[in-house]
Amino acid sequence: MGLRRQDLSGRCAGFELPIYLARPMVAAARAPYPATVIRPLLERYGFEGLSYVVSRGDGSATTGEIAWSTHPRGWSALYRRAAYAAVDPRLMHTRHRVTPYLWDSADSDDDPHERHFIREAAHFEIRSGVAISLHDGVSGHVTLTFDSASTPITDTRRQELIAFLPDLTLIAMALHEGVLSWRVAKKTARRHAGPRLTPRECDCLKFAARGMTSADIGNKLSLTERTVNFHFGRLRRKLGALNRPEAIAKGVTMGFVTLD
């Protein structure tokens, strides 16, 4: 793709980067919505999106979630709900390696769970790409996935990706240390520092966000309408909301409700 390279360097996240990478990384670190800066950079390398996956493994199972992504929110919600971290081939092939991994859904195994993941990911234009695994003492295992809608990967594109690997590795490191890790940590801290809702209050809030009335929620949860309203009164006070729509909006912002 003929990326223009310069000998000049710049600093981002405490280490030196070529200036053509340092500038967008610094801009992304300062931007309120870094995706607006990151997307054009991804396009330069032929990718449609990027995800920042934080995962954990106990030796027998892998759990995790997409902590940040340029893809639609529905993908992050589906990834968490379906526990895709346990079958995502990008995580499976990078857990015990530090070198970048080129993956192509056309080469996936016949495992039915992996095939289901591949089909769902394709709906979000995720069919191939590069996965880079990072480990640190705070986030643990982090995988940055550079995602492409194309499959299978042609020989020409494969050689192009190999030539891009040094840049992609630097981008992954800079995004992790200078742009995303602190944002994710800050978001997590806000969530844990916020009000605590009971499971029943969370259920009421979730169903209300889907447009259900107190009577509908009562039928769904086998509660009286009066009991549902009681739970709403409590959660409104906890969230500092004046009414039900405001409670729903705050619930979404604080991570109690996912709209998908």
Side-chain angles (χ1 to χ4, degrees):
M1 292 193 174
L3 295 181
R4 184 179 179 183
R5 298 174 181 271
Q6 302 179 38
D7 293 332
L8 298 176
S9 64
R11 181 172 291 273
C12 177
F15 56 87
E16 295 293 330
L17 288 172
I19 196 67
Y20 63 92
L21 294 181
R23 285 174 175 167
M25 290 299 100
V26 170
R30 295 173 177 173
Y33 303 102
T36 59
V37 178
I38 294 172
R39 284 196 184 98
L41 181 63
L42 295 174
E43 292 172 0
R44 292 174 58 190
Y45 293 88
F47 297 108
E48 280 76 31
L50 177 141
S51 288
Y52 182 86
V53 187
V54 179
S55 60
R56 296 155 293 280
D58 60 7
S60 60
T62 299
T63 60
E65 63 179 339
I66 297 175
W68 187 90
S69 179
T70 63
H71 294 293
R73 291 184 178 180
W75 172 236
S76 300
L78 175 62
Y79 195 95
R80 180 180 62 255
R81 186 172 65 249
Y84 280 149
V87 297
D88 187 341
R90 302 168 301 177
L91 270 60
M92 298 300 100
H93 287 88
T94 59
R95 172 158 293 281
H96 301 295
R97 64 188 287 172
V98 294
T99 53
Y101 171 62
L102 275 66
W103 82 284
D104 188 347
S105 59
D107 300 328
S108 63
D109 295 333
D110 292 330
D111 178 81
H113 300 292
E114 182 175 330
R115 294 304 305 172
H116 185 267
F117 166 82
I118 294 296
R119 287 194 298 272
E120 292 299 319
H123 293 316
F124 293 89
E125 304 296 306
I126 302 171
R127 300 184 179 92
S128 67
V130 175
I132 296 177
S133 179
L134 303 173
H135 299 262
D136 68 27
V138 177
S139 302
H141 182 214
V142 173
T143 305
L144 286 94
T145 65
F146 297 82
D147 304 318
S148 172
S150 301
T151 188
I153 299 177
T154 65
D155 290 339
T156 298
R157 176 58 175 167
R158 185 175 297 276
Q159 293 304 312
E160 191 174 57
L161 289 173
I162 291 173
F164 289 158
L165 289 181
D167 278 6
L168 296 179
T169 301
L170 287 175
I171 291 172
M173 294 168 61
L175 284 176
H176 171 60
E177 295 191 10
V179 182
L180 298 179
S181 62
W182 65 269
R183 291 176 186 267
V184 171
K186 187 175 180 180
K187 179 180 178 181
T188 301
R190 284 202 307 267
R191 185 166 63 241
H192 291 314
R196 292 182 179 274
L197 301 185
T198 66
R200 186 62 78 196
E201 289 166 352
C202 287
D203 287 339
C204 290
L205 190 60
K206 175 180 67 176
F207 290 126
R210 295 177 182 175
M212 296 174 67
T213 65
S214 291
D216 295 330
I217 297 171
N219 291 332
K220 183 77 172 180
L221 300 177
S222 299
L223 301 173
T224 66
E225 183 175 350
R226 181 178 180 180
T227 300
V228 172
N229 289 333
F230 169 77
H231 287 306
F232 257 105
R234 286 175 56 88
L235 72 86
R236 278 198 303 104
R237 288 191 292 273
K238 290 181 180 180
L239 299 178
L242 295 176
N243 50 45
R244 186 169 297 196
E246 185 179 358
I248 294 171
K250 288 192 173 184
V252 172
T253 301
M254 296 179 180
F256 291 113
V257 177
T258 299
L259 299 179
D260 50 37

